[in-house]
């Protein structure tokens, strides 16, 4: 097996995770004019990927542009939807990010904060490859589902 | 006792509640240029008051202006600070209001959603008098403190 096919199948495995499948679904839902219709799933998610080299080229201090905030929003929306798919509970994200790119995202289910993340340097937000992106989302979903399993009474408020 | 003095003492009693005292403190902290220095506490809170007659004059459908959003924000910030004064736990508000004036505010402490309120018709947000304003805030604080007392482990995450 060559390196190229190995990478290809890593991407395919990542895209097959419930989290990335949901993220792709959300992105396609936003495509009201069909402009992305012919794009592959991997192409559709390309802006979520930020390699180490790309990150190094971005200044350490910077204001996040609307596009990156939009992607962070979609990332957490996909986490919420994947939680719903797994547990049946709707998880709603709330985000508070200052113009300097520092902030916080929480996902709540009923009276339970199932996920809480501090965000910093949002202008450099992204994941190294599809595998890492899938891992980050799936880890957050796992964490949230554990909270729901532990406190079902508060989730079902 | 005349009606005027009765109203005066009702306002004084309201202003003496921990909740309104906190709201006044927050408002004075915003007054960076001392423009409100000579205003009484009741005067400082006058825009939080919306009598039934005033409400009737506002169209049912309308977009909330930044001033009313700012007041809603201060109202929930004061609830958060009063909760902290009573329990020692920091309660942070998060607000999500669409431009049409519908939305949601939650206050979280650790992993616990201590308060959750749907908001609608935010462009007509306000309370009838200082007593009602104090009651609304104090009720929310009570509710939040009960949640913290019930689930101390989640509050102290």
């Amino acid at each position: 097996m060559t390196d190229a096919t190995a990478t290809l199948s890593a991407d395919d495995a990542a895209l097959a995770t419930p989290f990335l499948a949901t993220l792709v679904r959300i992105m396609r839902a936003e495509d009201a004019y069909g402009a992305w219709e012919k794009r592959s799933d991997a192409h559709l998610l390309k802006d979520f990927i930020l390699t180490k080299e790309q990150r190094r080229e971005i200044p350490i201090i910077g204001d996040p542009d609307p596009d990156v905030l939009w992607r962070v929003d979609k990332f957490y929306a996909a986490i919420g939807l994947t939680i719903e798919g797994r547990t049946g509970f709707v998880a709603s994200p709330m985000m508070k990010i200052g113009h300097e790119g520092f902030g916080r995202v929480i996902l709540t289910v009923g009276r339970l904060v199932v996920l809480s993340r501090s965000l910093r340097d949002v202008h450099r937000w992204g994941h190294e490859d599809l595998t890492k992106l899938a891992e980050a989302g799936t880890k957050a979903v796992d964490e949230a589902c554990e909270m729901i399993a532990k406190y079902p009474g508060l989730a079902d408020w």
Side-chain angles (χ1 to χ4, degrees), chain A:
Chain A
M1 196 188 274
T2 66
D3 269 8
T5 47
T7 311
L8 187 70
S9 35
D11 278 2
D12 283 345
L15 286 166
T17 59
F19 172 71
L20 275 200
T22 307
L23 186 57
V24 166
R25 201 148 49 86
I26 288 178
M27 294 291 289
R28 297 228 178 258
E30 298 275 340
D31 181 26
Y33 299 106
W36 300 338
E37 221 167 66
K38 288 181 180 169
R39 288 194 186 173
S40 69
D41 290 349
H43 187 181
L44 209 62
L45 298 182
K46 75 175 173 43
D47 288 337
F48 286 82
I49 306 302
L50 193 71
T51 63
K52 275 183 187 158
E53 291 69 36
Q54 287 172 319
R55 183 185 306 266
R56 260 198 293 267
E57 281 165 24
I58 301 174
I60 290 173
I61 311 279
D63 291 353
D65 61 34
D67 285 350
V68 73
L69 290 174
W70 185 82
R71 285 195 294 276
V72 175
D73 193 69
K74 295 307 158 222
F75 177 78
Y76 285 97
I79 290 172
L81 271 182
T82 313
I83 294 168
E84 193 186 348
R86 217 195 277 179
T87 66
F89 287 110
V90 177
S92 33
M94 282 187 124
M95 201 159 76
K96 205 177 188 172
I97 297 181
H99 69 96
E100 283 176 320
F102 285 73
R104 198 171 158 233
V105 176
I106 59 172
L107 267 96
T108 60
V109 173
R111 284 304 191 122
L112 201 59
V113 178
V114 295
L115 192 78
S116 170
R117 290 273 192 271
S118 295
L119 298 173
R120 59 194 183 87
D121 299 334
V122 169
H123 70 294
R124 302 200 295 168
W125 187 88
H127 290 84
E128 236 185 289
D129 52 38
L130 285 178
T131 306
K132 290 266 201 278
L133 179 66
E135 277 171 9
T138 306
K139 199 181 148 220
V141 171
D142 288 346
E143 192 186 318
C145 292
E146 262 172 50
M147 282 295 287
I148 294 170
K150 211 167 162 187
Y151 303 98
L154 278 164
D156 196 14
W157 194 263

